[in-house]
Amino acid sequence: MSTALQRRLDVASTIVEEAGRKAMALRPEPGAAATAKLKGRQDWLTEADGAVEAFISDALAKAFPEDGFQGEETGRGRTGALRWVVDPIDGTSNYARGADRWCVSLGLIEERTPLLGVIFAPALHETFTARHGAGAFRNGLPIHASTERDLTRAIVEVGWSPRRPLARFHRLLQGVMAQGAAVRLGGSGALGLVDVAVGRSDAYVELHINLWDVAAALAILGEAGAWVSPFLEGHGPEAGNPILAAAPGVAGALAEAAELAGWGA
Ligand code: IPD
């Protein structure tokens, strides 16, 4: 299995690199947001989303016709024992405004186990990769979650989307800040999660996030030694779930704060 998985990781990395270059070439100029389309409230759709997803889907179908495929824009296109899950542009709200904090995210899962993750942020010149049991890497160098144990020194990203009531988001924010953590909101769930894997932040928490936003990051976080809530349990793969990913030393206290704020309700 490890040779077959390594081959998939190598091929996936090449595909994601090419996809990222295509997305970069299509990125709107700053100030173009007024003409960008919305799928729903604060849910952006750009020309690149469809084009990049189609490119990745076709390339994977050629390389691994036996594998399943699920994309943010086109849904569950093919089924197989292994499932590739792509978010063609994560951080679309940033991308649509010509900003840099966005990425192409491609994960591979088997049932409820994350096997591979590739995240490429072209404008930031960063690539994150991981294979189950073989470590996590940023631009080819090993990465690890932070060793922080004290929430009064911690940085925590609290992700937001309009999919959950604002009052619950406020409760979560209040719960995290009451523990003394400094908060961030960067607009890309995938990049917020790999920030935890590389130790640039100590946790990422969000009331609801979808599989395509986290599929790649789950493999990377696990290999980097971060603590991650059981996202793939229950209806997570189909309907999304809350997520908390944290440095092990602050995970317990944060899980408590998030629980008190009703994050998993
Ligand atoms: C969104 C971003 C955002 C997160 C949302 C996601 P998109 O994905 O990752 O940071 O808070 O939950 O839906 O729309 O940029 O692919």
Side-chain angles (χ1 to χ4, degrees), residues 9 41 46 61 63 66 68 83 89 113 115 121 127 145 148 152 175 183 186 189 212 244 251 262:
L9 180 59
R41 188 160 60 97
T46 68
E66 67 278 29
R83 190 196 318 183
I89 312 279
T113 307
L115 294 178
T127 304
E148 188 56 70
T152 66
V183 297
W212 47 84
L244 169 61

PDB file of all heavy atoms in Angstrom, residues 9 41 46 61 63 66 68 83 89 113 115 121 127 145 148 152 175 183 186 189 212 244 251 262:
ATOM      1  N   LEU A   9       0.690  10.192  -4.179  1.00  0.00           N
ATOM      2  CA  LEU A   9       1.129  11.492  -3.650  1.00  0.00           C
ATOM      3  C   LEU A   9       1.985  12.230  -4.681  1.00  0.00           C
ATOM      4  O   LEU A   9       1.811  13.438  -4.896  1.00  0.00           O
ATOM      5  CB  LEU A   9       1.918  11.300  -2.343  1.00  0.00           C
ATOM      6  CG  LEU A   9       2.440  12.582  -1.696  1.00  0.00           C
ATOM      7  CD1 LEU A   9       1.307  13.542  -1.358  1.00  0.00           C
ATOM      8  CD2 LEU A   9       3.235  12.264  -0.427  1.00  0.00           C
ATOM      9  N   ARG A  41     -24.821  33.797   0.272  1.00  0.00           N
ATOM     10  CA  ARG A  41     -24.281  34.939   1.019  1.00  0.00           C
ATOM     11  C   ARG A  41     -22.806  34.705   1.377  1.00  0.00           C
ATOM     12  O   ARG A  41     -22.481  33.665   1.963  1.00  0.00           O
ATOM     13  CB  ARG A  41     -25.119  35.127   2.297  1.00  0.00           C
ATOM     14  CG  ARG A  41     -24.785  36.391   3.058  1.00  0.00           C
ATOM     15  CD  ARG A  41     -25.930  36.759   3.997  1.00  0.00           C
ATOM     16  NE  ARG A  41     -26.195  35.703   4.965  1.00  0.00           N
ATOM     17  CZ  ARG A  41     -25.714  35.684   6.208  1.00  0.00           C
ATOM     18  NH1 ARG A  41     -24.930  36.648   6.628  1.00  0.00           N
ATOM     19  NH2 ARG A  41     -26.010  34.697   7.019  1.00  0.00           N
ATOM     20  N   THR A  46     -15.723  31.859  -8.654  1.00  0.00           N
ATOM     21  CA  THR A  46     -14.955  32.533  -9.697  1.00  0.00           C
ATOM     22  C   THR A  46     -14.824  31.585 -10.884  1.00  0.00           C
ATOM     23  O   THR A  46     -15.086  30.386 -10.761  1.00  0.00           O
ATOM     24  CB  THR A  46     -13.543  32.900  -9.200  1.00  0.00           C
ATOM     25  OG1 THR A  46     -12.813  31.675  -8.999  1.00  0.00           O
ATOM     26  CG2 THR A  46     -13.579  33.690  -7.899  1.00  0.00           C
ATOM     27  N   ALA A  61      -8.650  11.144 -13.181  1.00  0.00           N
ATOM     28  CA  ALA A  61      -9.378  10.054 -13.862  1.00  0.00           C
ATOM     29  C   ALA A  61      -8.423   9.307 -14.796  1.00  0.00           C
ATOM     30  O   ALA A  61      -8.499   8.084 -14.932  1.00  0.00           O
ATOM     31  CB  ALA A  61     -10.565  10.609 -14.629  1.00  0.00           C
ATOM     32  N   ALA A  63      -5.035   9.156 -14.453  1.00  0.00           N
ATOM     33  CA  ALA A  63      -3.962   8.499 -13.680  1.00  0.00           C
ATOM     34  C   ALA A  63      -4.489   7.340 -12.833  1.00  0.00           C
ATOM     35  O   ALA A  63      -3.832   6.293 -12.725  1.00  0.00           O
ATOM     36  CB  ALA A  63      -3.260   9.527 -12.797  1.00  0.00           C
ATOM     37  N   GLU A  66      -9.596   3.918 -11.204  1.00  0.00           N
ATOM     38  CA  GLU A  66     -10.340   3.123 -10.209  1.00  0.00           C
ATOM     39  C   GLU A  66     -10.739   3.928  -8.982  1.00  0.00           C
ATOM     40  O   GLU A  66     -11.543   3.471  -8.163  1.00  0.00           O
ATOM     41  CB  GLU A  66      -9.502   1.894  -9.799  1.00  0.00           C
ATOM     42  CG  GLU A  66      -8.216   2.185  -9.016  1.00  0.00           C
ATOM     43  CD  GLU A  66      -7.005   2.588  -9.884  1.00  0.00           C
ATOM     44  OE1 GLU A  66      -7.195   3.178 -10.978  1.00  0.00           O
ATOM     45  OE2 GLU A  66      -5.859   2.340  -9.442  1.00  0.00           O
ATOM     46  N   GLY A  68     -12.333   7.036  -6.556  1.00  0.00           N
ATOM     47  CA  GLY A  68     -13.468   7.932  -6.517  1.00  0.00           C
ATOM     48  C   GLY A  68     -13.025   9.391  -6.564  1.00  0.00           C
ATOM     49  O   GLY A  68     -11.838   9.693  -6.386  1.00  0.00           O
ATOM     50  N   ARG A  83     -11.112   7.838  -2.132  1.00  0.00           N
ATOM     51  CA  ARG A  83     -11.833   9.010  -2.633  1.00  0.00           C
ATOM     52  C   ARG A  83     -10.940  10.244  -2.621  1.00  0.00           C
ATOM     53  O   ARG A  83     -10.481  10.688  -1.570  1.00  0.00           O
ATOM     54  CB  ARG A  83     -13.056   9.256  -1.743  1.00  0.00           C
ATOM     55  CG  ARG A  83     -13.991  10.307  -2.324  1.00  0.00           C
ATOM     56  CD  ARG A  83     -15.021  10.886  -1.329  1.00  0.00           C
ATOM     57  NE  ARG A  83     -15.684   9.979  -0.436  1.00  0.00           N
ATOM     58  CZ  ARG A  83     -16.642  10.357   0.424  1.00  0.00           C
ATOM     59  NH1 ARG A  83     -17.058  11.610   0.445  1.00  0.00           N
ATOM     60  NH2 ARG A  83     -17.179   9.493   1.273  1.00  0.00           N
ATOM     61  N   ILE A  89     -10.298  26.094  -5.181  1.00  0.00           N
ATOM     62  CA  ILE A  89      -9.759  27.326  -4.588  1.00  0.00           C
ATOM     63  C   ILE A  89     -10.340  27.415  -3.183  1.00  0.00           C
ATOM     64  O   ILE A  89     -11.547  27.634  -3.016  1.00  0.00           O
ATOM     65  CB  ILE A  89     -10.215  28.614  -5.336  1.00  0.00           C
ATOM     66  CG1 ILE A  89     -10.046  28.510  -6.850  1.00  0.00           C
ATOM     67  CG2 ILE A  89      -9.529  29.851  -4.752  1.00  0.00           C
ATOM     68  CD1 ILE A  89      -8.654  28.759  -7.372  1.00  0.00           C
ATOM     69  N   THR A 113     -10.570   7.414   7.008  1.00  0.00           N
ATOM     70  CA  THR A 113      -9.142   7.636   7.285  1.00  0.00           C
ATOM     71  C   THR A 113      -8.525   8.571   6.241  1.00  0.00           C
ATOM     72  O   THR A 113      -8.584   8.274   5.037  1.00  0.00           O
ATOM     73  CB  THR A 113      -8.376   6.286   7.249  1.00  0.00           C
ATOM     74  OG1 THR A 113      -9.036   5.383   8.115  1.00  0.00           O
ATOM     75  CG2 THR A 113      -6.933   6.447   7.668  1.00  0.00           C
ATOM     76  N   LEU A 115      -5.643   9.736   4.053  1.00  0.00           N
ATOM     77  CA  LEU A 115      -4.427   9.030   3.613  1.00  0.00           C
ATOM     78  C   LEU A 115      -3.364   9.981   3.077  1.00  0.00           C
ATOM     79  O   LEU A 115      -2.177   9.807   3.335  1.00  0.00           O
ATOM     80  CB  LEU A 115      -4.774   8.027   2.512  1.00  0.00           C
ATOM     81  CG  LEU A 115      -5.666   6.844   2.895  1.00  0.00           C
ATOM     82  CD1 LEU A 115      -5.935   5.982   1.665  1.00  0.00           C
ATOM     83  CD2 LEU A 115      -4.999   6.016   3.988  1.00  0.00           C
ATOM     84  N   ALA A 121      -0.296  26.794  -2.106  1.00  0.00           N
ATOM     85  CA  ALA A 121      -0.681  28.209  -2.058  1.00  0.00           C
ATOM     86  C   ALA A 121       0.295  28.959  -2.964  1.00  0.00           C
ATOM     87  O   ALA A 121       1.358  29.407  -2.510  1.00  0.00           O
ATOM     88  CB  ALA A 121      -0.606  28.726  -0.627  1.00  0.00           C
ATOM     89  N   THR A 127       3.964  24.811  -0.332  1.00  0.00           N
ATOM     90  CA  THR A 127       3.311  23.534  -0.611  1.00  0.00           C
ATOM     91  C   THR A 127       3.403  22.678   0.642  1.00  0.00           C
ATOM     92  O   THR A 127       4.477  22.522   1.226  1.00  0.00           O
ATOM     93  CB  THR A 127       4.019  22.785  -1.766  1.00  0.00           C
ATOM     94  OG1 THR A 127       4.041  23.636  -2.909  1.00  0.00           O
ATOM     95  CG2 THR A 127       3.289  21.501  -2.125  1.00  0.00           C
ATOM     96  N   ALA A 145       3.373  20.396  14.816  1.00  0.00           N
ATOM     97  CA  ALA A 145       2.516  21.330  15.558  1.00  0.00           C
ATOM     98  C   ALA A 145       3.328  21.937  16.699  1.00  0.00           C
ATOM     99  O   ALA A 145       4.343  21.370  17.123  1.00  0.00           O
ATOM    100  CB  ALA A 145       1.308  20.579  16.106  1.00  0.00           C
ATOM    101  N   GLU A 148       3.218  24.629  22.410  1.00  0.00           N
ATOM    102  CA  GLU A 148       2.596  25.557  23.372  1.00  0.00           C
ATOM    103  C   GLU A 148       1.636  24.810  24.305  1.00  0.00           C
ATOM    104  O   GLU A 148       0.918  23.911  23.873  1.00  0.00           O
ATOM    105  CB  GLU A 148       1.840  26.651  22.584  1.00  0.00           C
ATOM    106  CG  GLU A 148       1.322  27.771  23.429  1.00  0.00           C
ATOM    107  CD  GLU A 148       2.426  28.442  24.239  1.00  0.00           C
ATOM    108  OE1 GLU A 148       3.265  29.114  23.658  1.00  0.00           O
ATOM    109  OE2 GLU A 148       2.445  28.252  25.484  1.00  0.00           O
ATOM    110  N   THR A 152      -2.824  31.503  27.243  1.00  0.00           N
ATOM    111  CA  THR A 152      -2.646  32.960  27.319  1.00  0.00           C
ATOM    112  C   THR A 152      -1.487  33.422  26.419  1.00  0.00           C
ATOM    113  O   THR A 152      -1.264  34.614  26.256  1.00  0.00           O
ATOM    114  CB  THR A 152      -2.394  33.453  28.765  1.00  0.00           C
ATOM    115  OG1 THR A 152      -1.137  32.947  29.207  1.00  0.00           O
ATOM    116  CG2 THR A 152      -3.485  33.000  29.714  1.00  0.00           C
ATOM    117  N   GLY A 175     -15.686  32.383  24.092  1.00  0.00           N
ATOM    118  CA  GLY A 175     -15.119  31.271  24.861  1.00  0.00           C
ATOM    119  C   GLY A 175     -13.610  31.169  24.659  1.00  0.00           C
ATOM    120  O   GLY A 175     -12.846  30.983  25.615  1.00  0.00           O
ATOM    121  N   VAL A 183      -6.889  35.922  18.742  1.00  0.00           N
ATOM    122  CA  VAL A 183      -7.599  35.276  17.636  1.00  0.00           C
ATOM    123  C   VAL A 183      -7.243  35.873  16.281  1.00  0.00           C
ATOM    124  O   VAL A 183      -6.802  37.015  16.180  1.00  0.00           O
ATOM    125  CB  VAL A 183      -9.136  35.280  17.819  1.00  0.00           C
ATOM    126  CG1 VAL A 183      -9.549  34.500  19.042  1.00  0.00           C
ATOM    127  CG2 VAL A 183      -9.673  36.689  17.854  1.00  0.00           C
ATOM    128  N   GLY A 186      -8.579  34.266   8.824  1.00  0.00           N
ATOM    129  CA  GLY A 186      -7.824  34.467   7.584  1.00  0.00           C
ATOM    130  C   GLY A 186      -8.571  34.166   6.302  1.00  0.00           C
ATOM    131  O   GLY A 186      -8.053  34.409   5.215  1.00  0.00           O
ATOM    132  N   GLY A 189      -9.944  28.053   5.291  1.00  0.00           N
ATOM    133  CA  GLY A 189      -9.922  26.979   6.290  1.00  0.00           C
ATOM    134  C   GLY A 189      -8.706  26.084   6.117  1.00  0.00           C
ATOM    135  O   GLY A 189      -8.019  25.734   7.088  1.00  0.00           O
ATOM    136  N   TRP A 212     -14.422  19.106   1.626  1.00  0.00           N
ATOM    137  CA  TRP A 212     -13.412  19.551   0.655  1.00  0.00           C
ATOM    138  C   TRP A 212     -12.464  20.605   1.244  1.00  0.00           C
ATOM    139  O   TRP A 212     -11.335  20.733   0.795  1.00  0.00           O
ATOM    140  CB  TRP A 212     -14.083  20.081  -0.626  1.00  0.00           C
ATOM    141  CG  TRP A 212     -15.207  21.020  -0.393  1.00  0.00           C
ATOM    142  CD1 TRP A 212     -15.121  22.362  -0.163  1.00  0.00           C
ATOM    143  CD2 TRP A 212     -16.601  20.690  -0.338  1.00  0.00           C
ATOM    144  NE1 TRP A 212     -16.370  22.895   0.031  1.00  0.00           N
ATOM    145  CE2 TRP A 212     -17.305  21.902  -0.076  1.00  0.00           C
ATOM    146  CE3 TRP A 212     -17.334  19.519  -0.484  1.00  0.00           C
ATOM    147  CZ2 TRP A 212     -18.687  21.953   0.038  1.00  0.00           C
ATOM    148  CZ3 TRP A 212     -18.713  19.574  -0.370  1.00  0.00           C
ATOM    149  CH2 TRP A 212     -19.380  20.760  -0.115  1.00  0.00           C
ATOM    150  N   LEU A 244     -12.008  21.201  15.322  1.00  0.00           N
ATOM    151  CA  LEU A 244     -11.001  21.805  16.187  1.00  0.00           C
ATOM    152  C   LEU A 244      -9.699  21.049  15.928  1.00  0.00           C
ATOM    153  O   LEU A 244      -9.649  19.832  16.068  1.00  0.00           O
ATOM    154  CB  LEU A 244     -11.391  21.669  17.666  1.00  0.00           C
ATOM    155  CG  LEU A 244     -10.293  22.042  18.685  1.00  0.00           C
ATOM    156  CD1 LEU A 244      -9.872  23.501  18.547  1.00  0.00           C
ATOM    157  CD2 LEU A 244     -10.769  21.785  20.121  1.00  0.00           C
ATOM    158  N   ALA A 251      -4.994  21.569  23.407  1.00  0.00           N
ATOM    159  CA  ALA A 251      -6.213  20.983  22.826  1.00  0.00           C
ATOM    160  C   ALA A 251      -7.302  20.787  23.885  1.00  0.00           C
ATOM    161  O   ALA A 251      -8.476  21.116  23.647  1.00  0.00           O
ATOM    162  CB  ALA A 251      -5.887  19.658  22.143  1.00  0.00           C
ATOM    163  N   GLY A 262     -20.903  25.631  22.916  1.00  0.00           N
ATOM    164  CA  GLY A 262     -21.903  24.886  22.137  1.00  0.00           C
ATOM    165  C   GLY A 262     -21.478  24.647  20.700  1.00  0.00           C
ATOM    166  O   GLY A 262     -22.290  24.552  19.801  1.00  0.00           O
TER     167      GLY A 262
END
